[in-house]
Amino acid sequence: MSVITVNDGEATFDCAEGDTLLRAGLRAGLALPYECGVGACGCCRCEVTAGEVANLWPEAPGLSDRDRRKGRVLACQSLPAGDVHLKLRLHPQPEPAIRPVRHRATLVASRQITHDIREFVLHTDAPADFRPGQYALLPLPGLDRERAYSMANLPNAAGEWHFRIRKVAGGGATTTLFERLAIGASVGLDGPYGLAHLRTDSPRDIVCIAGGSGLAPMLSVARGVAADPALAGRRVDFFYGGRTPSDLCGEADLAALPGFGETIRYHAAVSDADAAARDGWRGPVGPVHQLAETVLGERLTEAEFYLAGPPPMVEAVQQLLQVTHRLPPERIHFDRFF
Ligand code: FES
């Protein structure tokens, strides 16, 4: 066990062997800055002012060359070797709503959703405790680093965690999941993490915009709205963008929710015009952020936004909302995985 001291004593926390600085701090209830938890976003950059850390991923894209020259580290990729003093900016958000916990999980089911997205159901003995829109970190067998995957379902006492994962060509993690992990396999599951979870205290209509396996957290957010009596009647516009018609998904899940077709609406766009013509797609063709702008019209500036998907999609939506329409960042929720 190491003792971690933040900002000359502003906070201290214990870090168990094998835990990263970030996760130990969050488990202790500290509002540490982070988004991805996997070395990509750079939000957890900090300085080690005393003591030593081992770097799990020296080439992590979350650090620039300048950061490396200045000796900065990523809290999510650092294992303390003894007691450590850190300098960092504590997050303006309050402490984590639910403190992350390490579980053992069993793969109990999986089913194909589209040609490249599969749902994996993991079971833990403890309840599945998270906020709609959050993710968990999975240490998969044979891989050097954990991967972040979002839950598509709702928190539950039965300990069920549903992940919708898109197969990445040549990707080690998804090859393990899709081809090597059999029903009954035991894996680690650490969570929940993520700040882009459903805000139940906002009175605004909700817009979810997803692409790829960003479907999972957006589905969880929409399900969270439908399941919360305090949000009854709240309008949810759910946008999904795929390259081809065969990439589209999510509508059947939303159709099972009360209010579908009335307060909850599904809108889909295909970005590849050739594929759309070839496959007889009669719906909108183009990027999903353009569809959202067209459908929402004047409602766009009044809504609360949740985003998840490939980085270019998230960046295009962010540009639309923050630059073109000048929405304040606190009304746009997403965890940056790039
Ligand atoms: Fe550490 Fe994203 S949280 S790089």
Side-chain angles (χ1 to χ4, degrees):
M1 182 81 75
S2 305
V3 177
I4 313 303
T5 304
V6 178
N7 298 341
D8 294 328
E10 185 181 352
T12 59
F13 60 92
D14 291 337
C15 185
E17 194 165 339
D19 223 358
T20 64
L21 295 173
L22 174 69
R23 293 197 227 174
L26 295 175
R27 289 189 221 289
L30 240 65
L32 297 182
Y34 82 107
E35 287 188 21
C36 71
V38 291
C41 70
C43 296
C44 68
R45 269 191 309 259
C46 59
E47 284 175 44
V48 176
T49 53
E52 303 263 328
V53 298
N55 190 342
L56 291 174
W57 190 13
E59 310 80 30
L63 279 182
S64 65
D65 290 344
R66 186 162 178 269
D67 290 325
R68 290 190 176 87
R69 276 198 306 277
K70 288 190 163 267
R72 293 179 183 137
V73 301
L74 296 173
C76 72
Q77 300 300 313
S78 297
L79 297 177
D83 295 348
V84 162
H85 283 242
L86 289 182
K87 194 165 144 203
L88 53 74
R89 177 184 49 87
L90 285 172
H91 206 283
Q93 293 217 15
E95 66 176 51
I98 300 170
R99 298 187 188 189
V101 175
R102 287 201 254 205
H103 301 274
R104 277 319 288 176
T106 306
L107 177 64
V108 294
S110 79
R111 68 184 173 111
Q112 206 67 27
I113 302 294
T114 68
H115 64 101
D116 62 356
I117 294 180
R118 196 165 179 78
E119 181 171 86
F120 296 87
V121 180
L122 298 182
H123 176 264
T124 54
D125 289 338
D129 200 9
F130 59 87
R131 293 271 166 91
Q134 288 195 292
Y135 65 87
L137 295 166
L138 302 186
L140 295 168
L143 295 179
D144 52 347
R145 290 192 312 280
E146 300 179 2
R147 300 298 193 272
Y149 296 114
S150 298
M151 286 69 79
N153 61 330
L154 291 177
N156 60 87
E160 277 200 9
W161 308 70
H162 296 203
F163 300 93
R164 298 232 174 147
I165 298 173
R166 183 166 168 266
K167 189 163 185 351
V168 179
T174 56
T175 301
T176 297
L177 276 164
F178 279 69
E179 295 171 17
R180 304 199 184 116
L181 221 53
I183 300 298
S186 173
V187 294
L189 186 159
D190 187 356
Y193 293 97
L195 306 174
H197 54 75
L198 175 63
R199 269 48 174 187
T200 52
D201 54 355
S202 164
R204 298 177 182 279
D205 285 347
I206 289 166
V207 177
C208 298
I209 305 183
S213 54
L215 174 72
M218 296 300 96
L219 209 44
S220 185
V221 166
R223 286 170 162 162
V225 175
D228 189 338
L231 300 177
R234 186 68 56 85
R235 177 142 186 178
V236 178
D237 282 282
F238 193 107
F239 294 88
Y240 191 81
R243 195 178 66 77
T244 72
S246 65
D247 294 331
L248 299 179
C249 53
E251 185 170 17
D253 302 287
L254 294 178
L257 301 179
F260 180 72
E262 295 166 14
T263 52
I264 300 180
R265 310 231 172 161
Y266 178 83
H267 318 271
V270 164
S271 60
D272 184 331
D274 293 339
R278 185 191 63 223
D279 297 348
W281 169 250
R282 299 225 179 108
V285 174
V288 69
H289 69 277
Q290 277 180 8
L291 176 65
E293 187 178 36
T294 304
V295 169
L296 294 171
E298 291 182 357
R299 291 191 295 124
L300 183 148
T301 53
E302 298 303 322
E304 190 93 12
F305 283 81
Y306 296 86
L307 323 176
M313 185 215 89
V314 173
E315 280 172 351
V317 179
Q318 210 190 348
Q319 178 86 6
L320 173 79
L321 300 180
Q322 285 190 256
V323 179
T324 309
H325 292 282
R326 304 207 173 280
L327 259 68
E330 57 272 19
R331 270 208 269 139
I332 307 166
H333 309 288
F334 62 97
D335 287 317
R336 207 179 316 251
F337 285 88
F338 48 96

